[in-house]
Amino acid sequence: MPLLYFEDFTIGRSFDCGTSPVTRDEVMEFAREFDPQPHHLDEEAAKRSILGGLAASGWHTCAMTMRMFAGGVLSLADAQGGIGSPEGRWMKPVRPGDVLSMQAEVIAARPAHSKPFGFVTFACKVSSQKEQVALILMTPIMGRRP
Amino acid sequence: MPLLYFEDFTIGRSFDCGTSPVTRDEVMEFAREFDPQPHHLDEEAAKRSILGGLAASGWHTCAMTMRMFAGGVLSLADAQGGIGSPEGRWMKPVRPGDVLSMQAEVIAARPAHSKPFGFVTFACKVSSQKEQVALILMTPIMGRRP
């Protein structure tokens, strides 16, 4: 498949970004390093929290989303990702044992005025195997024009 | 210091959240796992990118921000962090060798209607040692009422 350019990212086009299994070890490793709250690290404390059980850090879910986006979109494109703003909404807790999957849909595209590229925004919809949406994340990229 | 409750998070109150040194090894380790774009992994490719040199994944900066927030705010409070929405803006690239520091300022607070807690939003301002703001991140928490 040839590289995708800005012009290929038409509004409504959707990309299957594969899956990301969520292991208990990875949940706890990420939490220990970056988000050491009891509901990410301690089963009993997590049960008593509003999350009702052990759950991945929301930032871990964002990072897994970036990994799926890199594989499913950026690897096909002459583009750089993660421009501008982290913006989204955590909808449901992500649990150890979940298998996340992701669709990235183009929701906005505009060419730069005087440079050979354009800005594209994707809505990345991350779902669990229970088909619950866990995270919606807006992901802007800068795509080159041929 | 006694635990802080919802009522202690008055608008304008600011918390020093310490520092986070950014090592080249950690930048590349995070990028390999979650954001394998050339400008996070390859010095030469990074020089040719719009970032002008190797830079941390924006999601890595968010994760470091969460770590500083956990240390500087959540550890003092009867509260849970990371409720709702990731929202912010990446302002400047974060480079290996940088030392990030962070101030978290209360910008909004409202009690829940019928439950013994309230919602507090912090503007987390992450700066490099060059006093450039690298990231602004809105961070909501749920603080308990005594």
Side-chain angles (χ1 to χ4, degrees):
Chain A
M1 185 166 173
L3 277 182
L4 298 177
Y5 292 96
F6 169 74
E7 278 73 6
D8 299 308
F9 295 110
T10 49
I11 289 174
R13 186 167 180 181
S14 187
F15 295 81
D16 181 351
C17 295
T19 61
S20 196
V22 181
T23 72
R24 187 187 172 85
D25 284 354
E26 285 168 353
V27 163
M28 298 188 73
E29 185 185 336
F30 190 99
R32 266 193 300 271
E33 186 166 358
F34 294 117
D35 193 353
Q37 298 187 74
H39 47 278
H40 302 316
L41 284 170
D42 177 323
E43 194 82 59
E44 290 308 312
K47 279 186 194 153
R48 294 189 304 270
S49 78
I50 51 161
L51 295 178
L54 205 65
S57 167
W59 298 109
H60 189 188
T61 309
C62 288
M64 290 187 280
T65 300
M66 183 66 223
R67 180 170 64 206
M68 290 186 277
F69 187 75
V73 175
L74 293 177
S75 66
L76 311 176
D78 189 349
Q80 292 182 13
I83 311 296
S85 299
E87 190 186 347
R89 183 163 286 270
W90 292 298
M91 309 292 289
K92 291 274 181 195
V94 170
R95 310 289 187 187
D98 280 354
V99 178
L100 301 179
S101 61
M102 190 174 111
Q103 290 284 324
E105 182 182 333
V106 177
I107 58 166
R110 67 176 172 83
H113 285 303
S114 57
K115 299 265 172 70
F117 52 76
F119 300 97
V120 183
T121 304
F122 292 81
C124 293
K125 188 179 70 174
V126 179
S127 306
S128 75
Q129 73 286 354
K130 288 164 271 178
E131 298 184 1
Q132 291 181 324
V133 176
L135 171 69
I136 284 279
L137 196 62
M138 304 308 133
T139 304
I141 71 168
M142 208 179 69
R144 199 166 293 281
R145 311 185 71 177
Chain B
M1 184 167 174
L3 277 180
L4 298 177
Y5 291 95
F6 169 74
E7 278 74 6
D8 299 308
F9 295 110
T10 48
I11 290 174
R13 186 168 179 181
S14 186
F15 295 80
D16 180 351
C17 295
T19 60
S20 197
V22 182
T23 71
R24 187 187 171 85
D25 283 355
E26 284 168 354
V27 164
M28 298 186 73
E29 187 186 334
F30 189 100
R32 267 193 300 270
E33 187 166 357
F34 295 117
D35 193 354
Q37 298 186 75
H39 48 276
H40 302 316
L41 286 169
D42 177 324
E43 195 81 58
E44 290 308 313
K47 279 186 193 154
R48 294 190 302 270
S49 78
I50 52 159
L51 294 178
L54 204 66
S57 167
W59 298 108
H60 189 188
T61 309
C62 288
M64 290 187 280
T65 300
M66 183 67 222
R67 180 170 63 205
M68 290 186 277
F69 188 74
V73 175
L74 294 177
S75 66
L76 311 177
D78 189 350
Q80 292 182 13
I83 311 296
S85 300
E87 188 185 349
R89 182 162 287 271
W90 291 299
M91 307 294 288
K92 291 277 180 191
V94 170
R95 309 290 187 186
D98 279 354
V99 178
L100 301 179
S101 60
M102 191 174 108
Q103 290 285 323
E105 183 183 331
V106 177
I107 58 166
R110 66 176 173 83
H113 286 303
S114 57
K115 299 265 173 70
F117 52 75
F119 299 96
V120 183
T121 304
F122 292 81
C124 293
K125 189 179 71 174
V126 179
S127 306
S128 74
Q129 72 287 354
K130 287 165 271 176
E131 298 184 2
Q132 291 180 324
V133 176
L135 171 68
I136 286 278
L137 195 63
M138 303 309 132
T139 304
I141 72 168
M142 208 177 71
R144 198 165 293 281
R145 310 186 72 177

